């Protein structure tokens, strides 16, 4: 088969892969499941911290693995790690084994996080269609959210009958996903070759990637901007399960609420490229933090918290699709997976800090207080982010004015 055709098929195979990978029937119930096994909110916060400490330390090395040994290889190993984690979570009954499960889950995310996007972007780049990436990413987000709809509806319903059935079906789907991950074609663009010897290839890859980030401060800014907002959204996503349960909602109703979020996000994600054309990069960077933090306060203060949760998840989808495109356009293929893994490492850093604090506040006071704390941190971020962006715009205008004056003098 023609290599260009195979690379083009990667895009469509990735839609199927995204759907299968994210049909996780435990996704909307795992915190309730672990609480039913005796875990407190503080312990749940610690488990998530263990996940992110693992992710923080292993993100960049696994990104280098994808750049050096191939995105496809990294993806396959990641799916195997995910399967192991679900099996352990089903069979475990102690904090220690739950922790081990979370370590494997983190490694599965690490091996996929930079590799997956790099595989698709570089496939498009090799066939000269990288400008379509935002549209492709938006469609991928659609499949991700459809998987969420299935996961939350079915998982929520099964949780009212038996947690074990939800876990066993998730294991079966994971096995199928491993098989499907073997069907991708590895792009030639971006494969790193050893120059200084095999023993130095990892160190050289990390150094080169770090130099690229430091030489282009905008990459670093976009990474930090995105990951802070994603950390806010993720904290709300997980703790809201227990918040709703405490409010008297059943697992089935919680599943419906989360499914509606996924459906709404799916519909909007395919139109992110059109939204971005209207409000541009500046609009995305200024408005999405305001919407994110506004929704967090809506969840904390309003009895219609589920409405604000839906809006929050829509905003998260817009952030992911648009800024992922901005970052990918700025980095070379040879360092793509490694630099994208830097982004995930920053996300883990913020989660290590925020997630256990939210859990502790939830235990000591209430989750409503914890959400208000998160909203307060968000206001500080809005002020800092707005100052940086407006300062940057002011510097640009000043530079243009200076250049015009210089030219007129000449």
């Amino acid at each position: 088969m023609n290599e260009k055709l195979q690379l083009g098929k990667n895009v469509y195979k990735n839609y199927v892969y995204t759907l299968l990978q994210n049909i996780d029937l435990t996704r909307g119930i795992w915190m309730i499941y672990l609480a039913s096994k005796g875990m407190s909110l503080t312990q749940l916060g610690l488990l998530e911290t263990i996940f992110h400490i693992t992710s923080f330390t292993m993100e960049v090395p696994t990104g280098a693995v994808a750049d050096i040994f191939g995105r496809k290889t990294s993806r396959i190993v990641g799916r195997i790690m995910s399967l192991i984690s679900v099996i352990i979570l089903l069979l475990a009954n102690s904090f220690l084994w739950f922790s081990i499960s979370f370590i494997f889950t983190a490694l599965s995310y690490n091996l996929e996080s930079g590799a997956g996007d790099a595989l698709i972007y570089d496939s498009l780049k090799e066939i000269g269609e990288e400008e379509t990436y935002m549209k492709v990413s938006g469609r991928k987000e659609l499949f991700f959210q459809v998987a969420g709809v299935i996961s939350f509806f079915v998982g929520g319903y099964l949780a009212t009958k038996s947690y074990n059935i939800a876990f066993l079906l998730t294991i079966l789907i994971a096995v199928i996903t491993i098989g499907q991950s073997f069907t991708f074609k590895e792009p030639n663009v971006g494969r790193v070759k050893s120059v200084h010897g095999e023993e130095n290839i990892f160190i050289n890859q990390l150094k080169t990637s770090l130099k690229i980030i430091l030489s282009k401060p905008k990459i670093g800014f976009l990474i930090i901007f995105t990951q802070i907002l994603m950390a806010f959204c993720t904290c709300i996503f997980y703790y809201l399960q227990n918040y709703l349960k405490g409010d008297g909602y059943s697992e089935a109703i919680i599943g419906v609420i989360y499914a509606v979020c996924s459906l709404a996000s799916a519909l909007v994600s395919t139109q992110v490229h059109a939204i971005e054309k209207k409000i541009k990069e500046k609009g995305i960077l200024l408005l999405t933090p305001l919407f994110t933090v506004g929704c967090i306060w809506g969840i904390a203060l309003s009895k219609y918290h589920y409405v604000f949760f839906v809006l929050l998840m829509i905003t998260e989808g817009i952030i992911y699709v648009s800024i992922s495109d901005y970052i990918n356009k700025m980095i070379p293929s040879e360092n793509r997976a490694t630099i994208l893994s830097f982004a995930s490492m920053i996300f883990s850093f913020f989660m290590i800090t925020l997630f256990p604090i939210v859990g502790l506040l939830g235990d000591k006071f209430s989750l409503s207080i914890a959400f208000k704390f998160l909203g307060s941190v968000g206001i500080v971020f809005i002020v800092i982010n707005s100052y940086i962006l407006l300062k940057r715009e002011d510097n640009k205008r000043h530079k243009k004015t200076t250049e015009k004056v210089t030219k007129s003098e000449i």
Side-chain angles (χ1 to χ4, degrees):
M1 186 184 292
N2 183 277
E3 188 168 326
K4 189 172 181 179
L5 185 61
Q6 285 181 309
L7 290 169
K9 284 189 173 182
N10 275 352
V11 173
Y12 301 100
K13 288 177 183 177
N14 198 55
Y15 296 148
V16 177
Y17 173 84
T18 300
L19 182 68
L20 290 173
Q21 179 202 4
N22 291 289
I23 296 179
D24 178 356
L25 304 181
T26 71
R27 191 167 147 203
I29 60 171
W30 71 263
M31 288 193 76
I32 304 170
Y33 166 75
L34 290 177
S36 74
K37 290 211 167 189
M39 297 295 104
S40 67
L41 287 176
T42 302
Q43 285 176 309
L44 291 173
L46 286 172
L47 285 170
E48 189 72 6
T49 301
I50 289 166
F51 171 94
H52 286 291
I53 288 173
T54 305
S55 188
F56 181 80
T57 54
M58 295 305 296
E59 266 294 356
V60 176
T62 53
V65 165
D67 280 330
I68 295 165
F69 297 108
R71 291 85 158 95
K72 178 180 173 180
T73 301
S74 184
R75 172 167 272 185
I76 291 168
V77 177
R79 289 308 87 214
I80 294 169
M81 293 285 187
S82 179
L83 174 62
I84 293 169
S85 73
V86 179
I87 292 171
I88 293 173
L89 200 61
L90 173 62
L91 300 177
N93 285 294
S94 68
F95 182 83
L96 174 62
W97 279 103
F98 291 145
S99 301
I100 293 169
S101 170
F102 274 59
I103 289 169
F104 274 98
T105 304
L107 290 172
S108 74
Y109 275 87
N110 294 158
L111 287 159
E112 171 65 27
S113 62
D117 288 339
L119 175 72
I120 301 309
Y121 192 91
D122 286 329
S123 293
L124 290 169
K125 187 172 182 179
E126 194 164 331
I127 62 177
E129 294 180 12
E130 65 267 35
E131 289 302 317
T132 65
Y133 180 75
M134 190 179 286
K135 280 188 180 180
V136 169
S137 185
R139 290 186 195 126
K140 188 195 87 168
E141 185 70 8
L142 169 66
F143 281 87
F144 172 80
Q145 298 299 347
V146 167
V149 173
I150 296 169
S151 299
F152 297 133
F153 265 130
V154 179
Y157 172 75
L158 291 176
T160 62
K161 306 296 179 184
S162 168
Y163 286 116
N164 287 355
I165 296 174
F167 274 88
L168 289 170
L169 285 174
T170 299
I171 288 168
L172 176 62
I173 294 166
V175 172
I176 296 170
T177 309
I178 291 170
Q180 201 256 344
S181 64
F182 278 91
T183 66
F184 289 92
K185 170 69 177 174
E186 183 74 39
N188 294 314
V189 171
R191 288 299 296 272
V192 176
K193 295 178 175 61
S194 176
V195 177
H196 303 286
E198 288 298 323
E199 67 277 9
N200 294 322
I201 191 168
F202 279 97
I203 295 171
N204 185 58
Q205 179 68 8
L206 297 180
K207 282 182 177 178
T208 305
S209 300
L210 189 58
K211 282 179 182 176
I212 291 167
I213 294 173
L214 293 174
S215 67
K216 297 179 179 179
K218 188 178 177 182
I219 295 176
F221 169 78
L222 289 175
I223 286 173
I224 293 171
F225 171 89
T226 309
Q227 303 314 318
I228 289 176
L229 293 182
M230 299 293 268
F232 289 159
C233 294
T234 304
C235 284
I236 295 291
F237 180 89
Y238 286 122
Y239 281 115
L240 193 72
Q241 296 173 23
N242 299 76
Y243 186 65
L244 293 172
K245 183 70 175 174
D247 253 7
Y249 292 82
S250 69
E251 287 90 345
I253 297 300
I254 293 170
V256 170
I257 291 169
Y258 275 63
V260 170
C261 287
S262 292
L263 185 61
S265 188
L267 294 173
V268 174
S269 63
T270 58
Q271 300 304 313
V272 172
H273 64 283
I275 295 169
E276 198 275 343
K277 277 185 180 178
K278 289 187 180 296
I279 66 175
K280 307 299 181 186
E281 182 181 316
K282 184 180 175 182
I284 294 285
L285 298 179
L286 281 171
L287 294 177
T288 50
L290 288 170
F291 274 101
T292 301
V293 176
C295 289
I296 291 172
W297 279 104
I299 291 167
L301 299 175
S302 172
K303 64 179 180 179
Y304 301 108
H305 35 58
Y306 47 84
V307 175
F308 287 99
F309 181 56
V310 172
L311 295 173
L312 181 69
M313 292 298 101
I314 290 173
T315 306
E316 183 188 35
I318 293 171
I319 293 165
Y320 173 77
V321 172
S322 57
I323 298 183
S324 175
D325 182 68
Y326 298 155
I327 293 172
N328 269 296
K329 283 177 178 175
M330 297 174 67
I331 54 181
S333 295
E334 293 79 8
N335 303 91
R336 192 175 311 285
T338 308
I339 291 174
L340 293 177
S341 291
F342 270 118
S344 296
M345 186 181 77
I346 297 298
F347 172 75
S348 292
F349 171 78
F350 290 123
M351 286 298 289
I352 289 166
T353 308
L354 285 175
F355 204 87
I357 293 174
V358 174
L360 187 61
L361 289 172
D363 266 341
K364 294 289 183 184
F365 304 101
S366 69
L367 278 172
S368 178
I369 294 292
F371 293 162
K372 288 172 186 175
F373 161 76
L374 209 56
S376 300
V377 175
I379 290 172
V380 175
F381 170 69
I382 287 173
V383 172
I384 295 171
N385 178 68
S386 299
Y387 174 79
I388 291 171
L389 288 172
L390 294 174
K391 185 77 173 173
R392 193 171 72 182
E393 284 297 311
D394 187 56
N395 288 339
K396 279 183 181 178
R397 282 195 295 268
H398 180 71
K399 187 178 178 182
K400 285 181 180 179
T401 303
T402 305
E403 287 174 353
K404 283 180 180 179
V405 171
T406 305
K407 285 180 180 178
S408 64
E409 286 175 352
I410 292 171

